[in-house]
């Protein structure tokens, strides 16, 4: 077990932003569905409010971003949020390219310069799901953050998490974060993640739907080497998901190596 120093921690957040659409009831899936395809004058204001939240965090995983198409006013939402929040490093993963109609993307925002960032296409019958892996700290024993958006189907999740499990198998300090479209108990007992020792948030960390949270679909799962200082569902309803936040203490010496 690594030795920990006081106040050596990193603030993590994962947020499915639903391309900047402010959804606050089930009927909005119908009445605001056009916003998935066409620009909307309130979208920049919504992004600015999201950026205000992101300023409080060190590493942010974003899902359901637009990479710059008609519906977003040709704005790369990952870049926009990074710049508006004053976060220097960002990475956009384009998972489903529908040209000018939509640029379905995941995003990484980071105050720390990663050792490296790699993107991965997750297996599934319907292409378009991906993961971003950022490594920090020391090359021989890095902190590994995996940001993902999993498919809805349980069969696809099995394949996708099997793929992720292979990628993280050799690392000691791992964080999985993102919209996993499943509850932690099932993810950690009924999928290839059962072969890991990852620690979830409490079962009560419900993030969906944002206006009446009943399901825990968004997760930050961490290795036992990373001491959880604080974890919470953030009451910030700017999407149909609520963001999930966690502060983790880093192994001794890690902050210097960042």
């Amino acid at each position: 077990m690594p030795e920990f120093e006081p106040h050596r921690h990193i603030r993590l957040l994962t947020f499915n932003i639903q391309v900047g659409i402010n959804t606050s009831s089930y009927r909005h899936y119908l009445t605001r569905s056009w916003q998935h395809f066409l620009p909307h004058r309130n979208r920049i204001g919504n992004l600015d409010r999201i950026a205000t939240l992101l300023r409080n965090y060190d590493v942010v995983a974003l899902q359901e971003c637009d990479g710059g198409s008609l519906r977003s006013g040709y704005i790369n939402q990952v870049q926009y949020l990074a710049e508006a929040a004053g976060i220097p490093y960002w990475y956009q993963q384009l998972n489903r390219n529908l040209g000018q109609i939509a640029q379905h993307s995941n995003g990484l925002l980071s105050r720390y310069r990663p050792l490296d960032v790699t993107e991965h296409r997750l297996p599934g019958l319907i292409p378009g799901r991906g993961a971003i892996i950022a490594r920090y700290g020391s090359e021989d024993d890095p902190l590994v953050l995996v940001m993902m958006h999993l498919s809805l189907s349980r069969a696809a999740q099995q394949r996708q998490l099997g793929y992720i499990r292979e990628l993280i198998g050799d690392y000691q300090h791992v964080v999985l974060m993102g919209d996993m479209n499943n509850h932690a108990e099932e993810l950690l007992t009924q999928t290839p993640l059962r072969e890991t020792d990852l620690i979830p948030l409490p079962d009560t960390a419900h993030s969906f739907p944002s206006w009446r949270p009943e399901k825990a679909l968004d997760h930050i799962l961490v290795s036992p080497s990373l001491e959880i200082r604080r974890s919470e569902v953030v009451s910030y309803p700017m999407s149909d998901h609520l963001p999930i936040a966690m502060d983790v203490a880093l192994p001794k010496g890690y902050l210097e190596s960042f």
Side-chain angles (χ1 to χ4, degrees):
M1 196 70 171
E3 183 182 349
F4 290 100
E5 299 170 304
H7 312 302
R8 304 283 173 173
H9 68 279
I10 185 169
R11 299 164 299 174
L12 305 171
L13 185 84
T14 182
F15 198 180
N16 180 325
I17 69 166
Q18 202 191 20
V19 297
I21 299 172
N22 191 346
T23 301
S24 53
S25 77
Y26 281 114
R27 73 174 183 276
H28 288 161
Y29 285 123
L30 180 64
T31 61
R32 299 182 182 179
S33 61
W34 62 271
Q35 293 181 31
H36 284 280
F37 309 100
L38 295 170
H40 178 51
R41 57 189 166 83
N42 290 340
R43 203 181 307 256
I44 288 293
N46 292 342
L47 290 179
D48 288 339
R49 284 188 283 276
I50 292 170
T52 299
L53 173 70
L54 303 189
R55 290 189 190 114
N56 300 312
Y57 298 93
D58 299 315
V59 179
V60 178
L62 298 171
Q63 305 88 48
E64 291 198 24
C65 305
D66 192 83
S69 66
L70 174 66
R71 64 179 180 174
S72 64
Y74 300 101
I75 289 170
N76 182 326
Q77 293 181 333
V78 179
Q79 179 180 9
Y80 185 92
L81 287 170
E83 293 176 353
I87 299 176
Y89 304 104
W90 61 272
Y91 188 91
Q92 175 220 350
Q93 179 188 32
L94 178 58
N95 292 312
R96 194 173 293 146
N97 186 351
L98 301 181
Q100 294 197 23
I101 298 173
Q103 301 272 314
H104 296 285
S105 302
N106 292 335
L108 158 69
L109 278 54
S110 179
R111 297 196 184 279
Y112 303 111
R113 183 196 297 273
L115 287 172
D116 52 45
V117 177
T118 55
E119 64 171 82
H120 300 264
R121 304 284 168 204
L122 294 178
L125 288 176
I126 303 172
R129 300 289 183 172
I132 302 170
I133 299 184
R135 300 192 312 152
Y136 296 88
S138 60
E139 182 74 48
D140 57 345
D141 188 26
L143 172 66
V144 179
L145 271 56
V146 185
M147 286 136 273
M148 70 189 81
H149 189 184
L150 298 183
S151 294
L152 292 168
S153 88
R154 297 296 190 262
Q157 289 176 11
Q158 292 284 343
R159 294 178 60 198
Q160 290 165 357
L161 291 172
Y163 179 85
I164 294 292
R165 172 72 185 90
E166 290 297 313
L167 292 176
I168 64 175
D170 294 335
Y171 297 114
Q172 182 182 359
H173 316 300
V174 176
V175 177
L176 302 190
M177 52 199 298
D179 178 356
M180 302 189 195
N181 276 312
N182 205 337
H183 288 261
E185 182 180 5
E186 184 165 342
L187 291 169
L188 294 172
T189 61
Q190 306 297 321
T191 80
L193 293 186
R194 64 182 174 272
E195 300 162 18
T196 71
D197 52 4
L198 294 169
I199 298 168
L201 277 74
D203 290 341
T204 54
H206 295 167
S207 58
F208 182 87
S210 58
W211 56 92
R212 192 184 301 144
E214 299 170 337
K215 297 180 179 180
L217 304 183
D218 302 271
H219 301 285
I220 302 177
L221 311 173
V222 301
S223 298
S225 66
L226 301 169
E227 177 193 344
I228 300 173
R229 293 276 178 84
R230 180 182 178 188
S231 62
E232 63 177 330
V233 179
V234 184
S235 182
Y236 206 79
M238 291 301 306
S239 159
D240 58 346
H241 289 248
L242 291 174
I244 297 283
M246 182 183 286
D247 285 15
V248 295
L250 295 170
K252 184 179 175 69
Y254 255 59
L255 212 62
E256 289 81 356
S257 64
F258 275 33

